PDB file of all heavy atoms in Angstrom:
ATOM      1  N   MET A  26       8.870  37.407  13.112  1.00 98.00           N
ATOM      2  CA  MET A  26       7.484  37.495  13.578  1.00 98.00           C
ATOM      3  C   MET A  26       7.320  36.590  14.797  1.00 98.00           C
ATOM      4  O   MET A  26       7.296  35.372  14.685  1.00 98.00           O
ATOM      5  CB  MET A  26       6.545  37.047  12.448  1.00 98.00           C
ATOM      6  CG  MET A  26       5.074  37.044  12.801  1.00 98.00           C
ATOM      7  SD  MET A  26       4.048  36.354  11.463  1.00 98.00           S
ATOM      8  CE  MET A  26       4.400  34.579  11.630  1.00 98.00           C
ATOM      9  N   LEU A  27       7.202  37.205  15.970  1.00 98.00           N
ATOM     10  CA  LEU A  27       7.144  36.438  17.204  1.00 98.00           C
ATOM     11  C   LEU A  27       5.985  36.906  18.078  1.00 98.00           C
ATOM     12  O   LEU A  27       5.582  38.071  18.025  1.00 98.00           O
ATOM     13  CB  LEU A  27       8.446  36.588  17.999  1.00 98.00           C
ATOM     14  CG  LEU A  27       9.708  36.015  17.344  1.00 98.00           C
ATOM     15  CD1 LEU A  27      10.933  36.456  18.122  1.00 98.00           C
ATOM     16  CD2 LEU A  27       9.634  34.487  17.256  1.00 98.00           C
ATOM     17  N   THR A  28       5.487  35.986  18.898  1.00 98.00           N
ATOM     18  CA  THR A  28       4.523  36.339  19.931  1.00 98.00           C
ATOM     19  C   THR A  28       5.289  36.581  21.226  1.00 98.00           C
ATOM     20  O   THR A  28       6.092  35.740  21.643  1.00 98.00           O
ATOM     21  CB  THR A  28       3.470  35.232  20.106  1.00 98.00           C
ATOM     22  OG1 THR A  28       2.731  35.112  18.894  1.00 98.00           O
ATOM     23  CG2 THR A  28       2.526  35.558  21.243  1.00 98.00           C
ATOM     24  N   HIS A  29       5.060  37.722  21.837  1.00 98.00           N
ATOM     25  CA  HIS A  29       5.828  38.149  23.002  1.00 98.00           C
ATOM     26  C   HIS A  29       5.779  37.115  24.121  1.00 98.00           C
ATOM     27  O   HIS A  29       6.809  36.779  24.726  1.00 98.00           O
ATOM     28  CB  HIS A  29       5.275  39.496  23.484  1.00 98.00           C
ATOM     29  CG  HIS A  29       6.073  40.137  24.552  1.00 98.00           C
ATOM     30  ND1 HIS A  29       5.510  41.002  25.464  1.00 98.00           N
ATOM     31  CD2 HIS A  29       7.379  40.065  24.886  1.00 98.00           C
ATOM     32  CE1 HIS A  29       6.437  41.428  26.293  1.00 98.00           C
ATOM     33  NE2 HIS A  29       7.580  40.878  25.975  1.00 98.00           N
ATOM     34  N   VAL A  30       4.578  36.604  24.428  1.00 98.00           N
ATOM     35  CA  VAL A  30       4.412  35.534  25.415  1.00 98.00           C
ATOM     36  C   VAL A  30       3.795  34.337  24.713  1.00 98.00           C
ATOM     37  O   VAL A  30       2.718  34.439  24.123  1.00 98.00           O
ATOM     38  CB  VAL A  30       3.522  35.979  26.591  1.00 98.00           C
ATOM     39  CG1 VAL A  30       3.213  34.800  27.512  1.00 98.00           C
ATOM     40  CG2 VAL A  30       4.196  37.096  27.381  1.00 98.00           C
ATOM     41  N   ASN A  31       4.490  33.213  24.754  1.00 98.00           N
ATOM     42  CA  ASN A  31       4.032  32.007  24.073  1.00 98.00           C
ATOM     43  C   ASN A  31       2.709  31.528  24.656  1.00 98.00           C
ATOM     44  O   ASN A  31       2.560  31.395  25.874  1.00 98.00           O
ATOM     45  CB  ASN A  31       5.084  30.910  24.197  1.00 98.00           C
ATOM     46  CG  ASN A  31       4.736  29.664  23.408  1.00 98.00           C
ATOM     47  OD1 ASN A  31       3.955  28.834  23.864  1.00 98.00           O
ATOM     48  ND2 ASN A  31       5.317  29.529  22.232  1.00 98.00           N
ATOM     49  N   TYR A  32       1.755  31.248  23.773  1.00 98.00           N
ATOM     50  CA  TYR A  32       0.412  30.914  24.242  1.00 98.00           C
ATOM     51  C   TYR A  32       0.348  29.580  24.965  1.00 98.00           C
ATOM     52  O   TYR A  32      -0.553  29.345  25.782  1.00 98.00           O
ATOM     53  CB  TYR A  32      -0.581  30.944  23.071  1.00 98.00           C
ATOM     54  CG  TYR A  32      -0.625  29.700  22.212  1.00 98.00           C
ATOM     55  CD1 TYR A  32      -1.661  28.772  22.327  1.00 98.00           C
ATOM     56  CD2 TYR A  32       0.360  29.440  21.264  1.00 98.00           C
ATOM     57  CE1 TYR A  32      -1.712  27.645  21.535  1.00 98.00           C
ATOM     58  CE2 TYR A  32       0.313  28.320  20.461  1.00 98.00           C
ATOM     59  CZ  TYR A  32      -0.720  27.409  20.594  1.00 98.00           C
ATOM     60  OH  TYR A  32      -0.761  26.296  19.801  1.00 98.00           O
ATOM     61  N   LYS A  33       1.274  28.686  24.685  1.00 97.00           N
ATOM     62  CA  LYS A  33       1.271  27.383  25.363  1.00 97.00           C
ATOM     63  C   LYS A  33       2.045  27.430  26.671  1.00 97.00           C
ATOM     64  O   LYS A  33       1.522  27.100  27.737  1.00 97.00           O
ATOM     65  CB  LYS A  33       1.886  26.313  24.452  1.00 97.00           C
ATOM     66  CG  LYS A  33       1.032  25.895  23.274  1.00 97.00           C
ATOM     67  CD  LYS A  33       1.698  24.745  22.534  1.00 97.00           C
ATOM     68  CE  LYS A  33       0.852  24.269  21.374  1.00 97.00           C
ATOM     69  NZ  LYS A  33       1.469  23.116  20.670  1.00 97.00           N
ATOM     70  N   THR A  34       3.293  27.841  26.585  1.00 97.00           N
ATOM     71  CA  THR A  34       4.195  27.692  27.735  1.00 97.00           C
ATOM     72  C   THR A  34       4.211  28.890  28.671  1.00 97.00           C
ATOM     73  O   THR A  34       4.642  28.770  29.822  1.00 97.00           O
ATOM     74  CB  THR A  34       5.634  27.465  27.249  1.00 97.00           C
ATOM     75  OG1 THR A  34       6.086  28.651  26.561  1.00 97.00           O
ATOM     76  CG2 THR A  34       5.707  26.267  26.302  1.00 97.00           C
ATOM     77  N   GLY A  35       3.804  30.063  28.178  1.00 98.00           N
ATOM     78  CA  GLY A  35       3.943  31.271  28.976  1.00 98.00           C
ATOM     79  C   GLY A  35       5.339  31.861  28.928  1.00 98.00           C
ATOM     80  O   GLY A  35       5.631  32.828  29.640  1.00 98.00           O
ATOM     81  N   TYR A  36       6.221  31.312  28.071  1.00 98.00           N
ATOM     82  CA  TYR A  36       7.579  31.862  27.921  1.00 98.00           C
ATOM     83  C   TYR A  36       7.498  33.263  27.337  1.00 98.00           C
ATOM     84  O   TYR A  36       6.809  33.494  26.345  1.00 98.00           O
ATOM     85  CB  TYR A  36       8.413  30.959  27.006  1.00 98.00           C
ATOM     86  CG  TYR A  36       9.820  31.463  26.769  1.00 98.00           C
ATOM     87  CD1 TYR A  36      10.871  31.027  27.563  1.00 98.00           C
ATOM     88  CD2 TYR A  36      10.097  32.390  25.760  1.00 98.00           C
ATOM     89  CE1 TYR A  36      12.168  31.489  27.366  1.00 98.00           C
ATOM     90  CE2 TYR A  36      11.388  32.858  25.547  1.00 98.00           C
ATOM     91  CZ  TYR A  36      12.411  32.405  26.353  1.00 98.00           C
ATOM     92  OH  TYR A  36      13.685  32.879  26.147  1.00 98.00           O
ATOM     93  N   MET A  37       8.218  34.202  27.937  1.00 98.00           N
ATOM     94  CA  MET A  37       8.214  35.584  27.467  1.00 98.00           C
ATOM     95  C   MET A  37       9.582  35.951  26.899  1.00 98.00           C
ATOM     96  O   MET A  37      10.612  35.798  27.553  1.00 98.00           O
ATOM     97  CB  MET A  37       7.850  36.542  28.606  1.00 98.00           C
ATOM     98  CG  MET A  37       7.767  37.998  28.165  1.00 98.00           C
ATOM     99  SD  MET A  37       7.015  39.082  29.406  1.00 98.00           S
ATOM    100  CE  MET A  37       8.284  39.031  30.691  1.00 98.00           C
ATOM    101  N   TYR A  38       9.553  36.441  25.669  1.00 98.00           N
ATOM    102  CA  TYR A  38      10.782  36.869  25.013  1.00 98.00           C
ATOM    103  C   TYR A  38      11.270  38.211  25.568  1.00 98.00           C
ATOM    104  O   TYR A  38      10.477  39.026  26.034  1.00 98.00           O
ATOM    105  CB  TYR A  38      10.551  37.029  23.517  1.00 98.00           C
ATOM    106  CG  TYR A  38      10.575  35.733  22.745  1.00 98.00           C
ATOM    107  CD1 TYR A  38       9.407  35.172  22.254  1.00 98.00           C
ATOM    108  CD2 TYR A  38      11.780  35.073  22.480  1.00 98.00           C
ATOM    109  CE1 TYR A  38       9.427  33.986  21.532  1.00 98.00           C
ATOM    110  CE2 TYR A  38      11.811  33.892  21.765  1.00 98.00           C
ATOM    111  CZ  TYR A  38      10.633  33.353  21.286  1.00 98.00           C
ATOM    112  OH  TYR A  38      10.656  32.179  20.573  1.00 98.00           O
ATOM    113  N   ASP A  39      12.566  38.427  25.464  1.00 98.00           N
ATOM    114  CA  ASP A  39      13.160  39.740  25.709  1.00 98.00           C
ATOM    115  C   ASP A  39      12.963  40.544  24.418  1.00 98.00           C
ATOM    116  O   ASP A  39      13.741  40.411  23.470  1.00 98.00           O
ATOM    117  CB  ASP A  39      14.639  39.585  26.047  1.00 98.00           C
ATOM    118  CG  ASP A  39      15.309  40.909  26.395  1.00 98.00           C
ATOM    119  OD1 ASP A  39      14.844  41.962  25.895  1.00 98.00           O
ATOM    120  OD2 ASP A  39      16.315  40.891  27.129  1.00 98.00           O
ATOM    121  N   MET A  40      11.916  41.359  24.385  1.00 98.00           N
ATOM    122  CA  MET A  40      11.553  42.063  23.162  1.00 98.00           C
ATOM    123  C   MET A  40      12.678  42.978  22.681  1.00 98.00           C
ATOM    124  O   MET A  40      12.991  43.029  21.488  1.00 98.00           O
ATOM    125  CB  MET A  40      10.270  42.874  23.377  1.00 98.00           C
ATOM    126  CG  MET A  40       9.782  43.576  22.120  1.00 98.00           C
ATOM    127  SD  MET A  40       8.361  44.657  22.419  1.00 98.00           S
ATOM    128  CE  MET A  40       7.087  43.445  22.792  1.00 98.00           C
ATOM    129  N   GLN A  41      13.282  43.688  23.604  1.00 98.00           N
ATOM    130  CA  GLN A  41      14.308  44.644  23.210  1.00 98.00           C
ATOM    131  C   GLN A  41      15.533  43.933  22.625  1.00 98.00           C
ATOM    132  O   GLN A  41      16.064  44.341  21.583  1.00 98.00           O
ATOM    133  CB  GLN A  41      14.720  45.498  24.413  1.00 98.00           C
ATOM    134  CG  GLN A  41      15.655  46.642  24.051  1.00 98.00           C
ATOM    135  CD  GLN A  41      15.767  47.675  25.167  1.00 98.00           C
ATOM    136  OE1 GLN A  41      15.030  47.625  26.147  1.00 98.00           O
ATOM    137  NE2 GLN A  41      16.665  48.621  25.013  1.00 98.00           N
ATOM    138  N   ALA A  42      15.960  42.856  23.263  1.00 98.00           N
ATOM    139  CA  ALA A  42      17.146  42.132  22.786  1.00 98.00           C
ATOM    140  C   ALA A  42      16.898  41.493  21.433  1.00 98.00           C
ATOM    141  O   ALA A  42      17.762  41.551  20.537  1.00 98.00           O
ATOM    142  CB  ALA A  42      17.559  41.077  23.808  1.00 98.00           C
ATOM    143  N   LEU A  43      15.732  40.886  21.249  1.00 98.00           N
ATOM    144  CA  LEU A  43      15.457  40.216  19.979  1.00 98.00           C
ATOM    145  C   LEU A  43      15.203  41.203  18.852  1.00 98.00           C
ATOM    146  O   LEU A  43      15.553  40.945  17.700  1.00 98.00           O
ATOM    147  CB  LEU A  43      14.272  39.260  20.133  1.00 98.00           C
ATOM    148  CG  LEU A  43      14.687  37.875  20.610  1.00 98.00           C
ATOM    149  CD1 LEU A  43      13.480  37.069  21.043  1.00 98.00           C
ATOM    150  CD2 LEU A  43      15.435  37.138  19.506  1.00 98.00           C
ATOM    151  N   THR A  44      14.601  42.327  19.190  1.00 98.00           N
ATOM    152  CA  THR A  44      14.431  43.362  18.170  1.00 98.00           C
ATOM    153  C   THR A  44      15.793  43.889  17.730  1.00 98.00           C
ATOM    154  O   THR A  44      16.042  44.075  16.527  1.00 98.00           O
ATOM    155  CB  THR A  44      13.553  44.503  18.706  1.00 98.00           C
ATOM    156  OG1 THR A  44      12.247  43.985  19.003  1.00 98.00           O
ATOM    157  CG2 THR A  44      13.416  45.620  17.691  1.00 98.00           C
ATOM    158  N   ALA A  45      16.676  44.105  18.682  1.00 98.00           N
ATOM    159  CA  ALA A  45      18.029  44.567  18.343  1.00 98.00           C
ATOM    160  C   ALA A  45      18.754  43.549  17.478  1.00 98.00           C
ATOM    161  O   ALA A  45      19.423  43.910  16.495  1.00 98.00           O
ATOM    162  CB  ALA A  45      18.821  44.843  19.619  1.00 98.00           C
ATOM    163  N   LEU A  46      18.629  42.275  17.817  1.00 98.00           N
ATOM    164  CA  LEU A  46      19.248  41.219  17.017  1.00 98.00           C
ATOM    165  C   LEU A  46      18.694  41.214  15.600  1.00 98.00           C
ATOM    166  O   LEU A  46      19.447  41.099  14.620  1.00 98.00           O
ATOM    167  CB  LEU A  46      19.011  39.863  17.683  1.00 98.00           C
ATOM    168  CG  LEU A  46      19.499  38.634  16.911  1.00 98.00           C
ATOM    169  CD1 LEU A  46      21.016  38.667  16.762  1.00 98.00           C
ATOM    170  CD2 LEU A  46      19.055  37.346  17.610  1.00 98.00           C
ATOM    171  N   SER A  47      17.366  41.362  15.476  1.00 98.00           N
ATOM    172  CA  SER A  47      16.746  41.404  14.153  1.00 98.00           C
ATOM    173  C   SER A  47      17.287  42.568  13.336  1.00 98.00           C
ATOM    174  O   SER A  47      17.633  42.415  12.152  1.00 98.00           O
ATOM    175  CB  SER A  47      15.218  41.517  14.296  1.00 98.00           C
ATOM    176  OG  SER A  47      14.690  40.433  15.022  1.00 98.00           O
ATOM    177  N   HIS A  48      17.372  43.723  13.961  1.00 98.00           N
ATOM    178  CA  HIS A  48      17.849  44.915  13.259  1.00 98.00           C
ATOM    179  C   HIS A  48      19.319  44.790  12.853  1.00 98.00           C
ATOM    180  O   HIS A  48      19.713  45.231  11.764  1.00 98.00           O
ATOM    181  CB  HIS A  48      17.640  46.153  14.115  1.00 98.00           C
ATOM    182  CG  HIS A  48      16.198  46.530  14.263  1.00 98.00           C
ATOM    183  ND1 HIS A  48      15.766  47.489  15.157  1.00 98.00           N
ATOM    184  CD2 HIS A  48      15.076  46.083  13.633  1.00 98.00           C
ATOM    185  CE1 HIS A  48      14.446  47.613  15.058  1.00 98.00           C
ATOM    186  NE2 HIS A  48      14.012  46.772  14.152  1.00 98.00           N
ATOM    187  N   GLU A  49      20.115  44.180  13.721  1.00 98.00           N
ATOM    188  CA  GLU A  49      21.533  43.968  13.384  1.00 98.00           C
ATOM    189  C   GLU A  49      21.682  43.131  12.123  1.00 98.00           C
ATOM    190  O   GLU A  49      22.626  43.323  11.346  1.00 98.00           O
ATOM    191  CB  GLU A  49      22.243  43.264  14.545  1.00 98.00           C
ATOM    192  CG  GLU A  49      22.508  44.151  15.747  1.00 98.00           C
ATOM    193  CD  GLU A  49      22.995  43.350  16.943  1.00 98.00           C
ATOM    194  OE1 GLU A  49      23.368  42.171  16.741  1.00 98.00           O
ATOM    195  OE2 GLU A  49      22.980  43.888  18.073  1.00 98.00           O
ATOM    196  N   CYS A  50      20.736  42.219  11.927  1.00 97.00           N
ATOM    197  CA  CYS A  50      20.778  41.340  10.758  1.00 97.00           C
ATOM    198  C   CYS A  50      19.998  41.909   9.575  1.00 97.00           C
ATOM    199  O   CYS A  50      19.865  41.251   8.539  1.00 97.00           O
ATOM    200  CB  CYS A  50      20.234  39.961  11.125  1.00 97.00           C
ATOM    201  SG  CYS A  50      21.216  39.111  12.380  1.00 97.00           S
ATOM    202  N   GLY A  51      19.444  43.117   9.734  1.00 98.00           N
ATOM    203  CA  GLY A  51      18.730  43.750   8.636  1.00 98.00           C
ATOM    204  C   GLY A  51      17.276  43.366   8.511  1.00 98.00           C
ATOM    205  O   GLY A  51      16.626  43.686   7.505  1.00 98.00           O
ATOM    206  N   ALA A  52      16.733  42.675   9.520  1.00 98.00           N
ATOM    207  CA  ALA A  52      15.335  42.243   9.483  1.00 98.00           C
ATOM    208  C   ALA A  52      14.460  43.219  10.265  1.00 98.00           C
ATOM    209  O   ALA A  52      14.934  43.955  11.139  1.00 98.00           O
ATOM    210  CB  ALA A  52      15.196  40.843  10.071  1.00 98.00           C
ATOM    211  N   LEU A  53      13.176  43.222   9.964  1.00 98.00           N
ATOM    212  CA  LEU A  53      12.184  43.989  10.713  1.00 98.00           C
ATOM    213  C   LEU A  53      11.554  43.089  11.764  1.00 98.00           C
ATOM    214  O   LEU A  53      11.433  41.872  11.569  1.00 98.00           O
ATOM    215  CB  LEU A  53      11.115  44.539   9.772  1.00 98.00           C
ATOM    216  CG  LEU A  53      11.579  45.599   8.763  1.00 98.00           C
ATOM    217  CD1 LEU A  53      10.453  45.932   7.786  1.00 98.00           C
ATOM    218  CD2 LEU A  53      12.057  46.859   9.476  1.00 98.00           C
ATOM    219  N   SER A  54      11.123  43.698  12.874  1.00 98.00           N
ATOM    220  CA  SER A  54      10.525  42.923  13.965  1.00 98.00           C
ATOM    221  C   SER A  54       9.022  43.165  14.033  1.00 98.00           C
ATOM    222  O   SER A  54       8.569  44.305  13.981  1.00 98.00           O
ATOM    223  CB  SER A  54      11.167  43.282  15.305  1.00 98.00           C
ATOM    224  OG  SER A  54      10.849  44.610  15.673  1.00 98.00           O
ATOM    225  N   LEU A  55       8.279  42.091  14.164  1.00 98.00           N
ATOM    226  CA  LEU A  55       6.819  42.142  14.259  1.00 98.00           C
ATOM    227  C   LEU A  55       6.421  41.341  15.498  1.00 98.00           C
ATOM    228  O   LEU A  55       6.717  40.149  15.590  1.00 98.00           O
ATOM    229  CB  LEU A  55       6.202  41.539  12.994  1.00 98.00           C
ATOM    230  CG  LEU A  55       4.721  41.759  12.717  1.00 98.00           C
ATOM    231  CD1 LEU A  55       4.381  41.307  11.288  1.00 98.00           C
ATOM    232  CD2 LEU A  55       3.801  41.031  13.686  1.00 98.00           C
ATOM    233  N   TRP A  56       5.730  41.998  16.416  1.00 99.00           N
ATOM    234  CA  TRP A  56       5.387  41.370  17.696  1.00 99.00           C
ATOM    235  C   TRP A  56       3.877  41.207  17.840  1.00 99.00           C
ATOM    236  O   TRP A  56       3.125  42.154  17.651  1.00 99.00           O
ATOM    237  CB  TRP A  56       5.917  42.202  18.867  1.00 99.00           C
ATOM    238  CG  TRP A  56       7.409  42.165  18.949  1.00 99.00           C
ATOM    239  CD1 TRP A  56       8.289  43.077  18.435  1.00 99.00           C
ATOM    240  CD2 TRP A  56       8.200  41.140  19.564  1.00 99.00           C
ATOM    241  NE1 TRP A  56       9.576  42.682  18.691  1.00 99.00           N
ATOM    242  CE2 TRP A  56       9.556  41.498  19.387  1.00 99.00           C
ATOM    243  CE3 TRP A  56       7.884  39.957  20.238  1.00 99.00           C
ATOM    244  CZ2 TRP A  56      10.598  40.712  19.873  1.00 99.00           C
ATOM    245  CZ3 TRP A  56       8.924  39.173  20.716  1.00 99.00           C
ATOM    246  CH2 TRP A  56      10.267  39.550  20.526  1.00 99.00           C
ATOM    247  N   ASP A  57       3.470  39.994  18.204  1.00 98.00           N
ATOM    248  CA  ASP A  57       2.089  39.708  18.564  1.00 98.00           C
ATOM    249  C   ASP A  57       1.995  39.806  20.084  1.00 98.00           C
ATOM    250  O   ASP A  57       2.654  39.053  20.808  1.00 98.00           O
ATOM    251  CB  ASP A  57       1.706  38.301  18.080  1.00 98.00           C
ATOM    252  CG  ASP A  57       0.250  37.945  18.354  1.00 98.00           C
ATOM    253  OD1 ASP A  57      -0.363  38.571  19.235  1.00 98.00           O
ATOM    254  OD2 ASP A  57      -0.263  37.033  17.698  1.00 98.00           O
ATOM    255  N   LEU A  58       1.167  40.737  20.558  1.00 98.00           N
ATOM    256  CA  LEU A  58       1.045  41.007  21.989  1.00 98.00           C
ATOM    257  C   LEU A  58      -0.219  40.399  22.595  1.00 98.00           C
ATOM    258  O   LEU A  58      -0.652  40.814  23.672  1.00 98.00           O
ATOM    259  CB  LEU A  58       1.054  42.524  22.229  1.00 98.00           C
ATOM    260  CG  LEU A  58       2.209  43.313  21.599  1.00 98.00           C
ATOM    261  CD1 LEU A  58       2.065  44.802  21.926  1.00 98.00           C
ATOM    262  CD2 LEU A  58       3.559  42.783  22.070  1.00 98.00           C
ATOM    263  N   ALA A  59      -0.804  39.415  21.919  1.00 98.00           N
ATOM    264  CA  ALA A  59      -2.094  38.876  22.355  1.00 98.00           C
ATOM    265  C   ALA A  59      -2.066  38.377  23.790  1.00 98.00           C
ATOM    266  O   ALA A  59      -3.037  38.539  24.531  1.00 98.00           O
ATOM    267  CB  ALA A  59      -2.542  37.754  21.417  1.00 98.00           C
ATOM    268  N   HIS A  60      -0.966  37.748  24.198  1.00 98.00           N
ATOM    269  CA  HIS A  60      -0.891  37.176  25.543  1.00 98.00           C
ATOM    270  C   HIS A  60      -0.051  38.004  26.497  1.00 98.00           C
ATOM    271  O   HIS A  60       0.346  37.527  27.566  1.00 98.00           O
ATOM    272  CB  HIS A  60      -0.365  35.741  25.467  1.00 98.00           C
ATOM    273  CG  HIS A  60      -1.371  34.773  24.929  1.00 98.00           C
ATOM    274  ND1 HIS A  60      -1.538  34.559  23.576  1.00 98.00           N
ATOM    275  CD2 HIS A  60      -2.292  34.004  25.542  1.00 98.00           C
ATOM    276  CE1 HIS A  60      -2.507  33.679  23.399  1.00 98.00           C
ATOM    277  NE2 HIS A  60      -2.984  33.334  24.564  1.00 98.00           N
ATOM    278  N   SER A  61       0.215  39.254  26.113  1.00 98.00           N
ATOM    279  CA  SER A  61       0.998  40.106  27.014  1.00 98.00           C
ATOM    280  C   SER A  61       0.378  41.480  27.244  1.00 98.00           C
ATOM    281  O   SER A  61       0.579  42.065  28.313  1.00 98.00           O
ATOM    282  CB  SER A  61       2.433  40.259  26.497  1.00 98.00           C
ATOM    283  OG  SER A  61       2.474  40.669  25.148  1.00 98.00           O
TER     284      SER A  61
END
């Protein structure tokens, strides 16, 4: 469970890469897009 753009720093995750990593490990991905 991640926020795409961090509300403090403005850091933006690579959504596609992290979703793929989550799926490789058998986890589901949940994205908060409030700041993006």
Side-chain angles (χ1 to χ4, degrees):
M26 178 185 75
L27 295 170
T28 297
H29 188 207
V30 173
N31 185 279
Y32 82 103
K33 288 185 178 182
T34 65
Y36 179 94
M37 183 168 68
Y38 280 107
D39 183 332
M40 183 186 291
Q41 188 165 351
L43 273 167
T44 297
L46 175 64
S47 301
H48 290 170
E49 286 170 14
C50 297
L53 293 173
S54 67
L55 194 169
W56 291 96
D57 183 339
L58 308 180
H60 286 86
S61 52

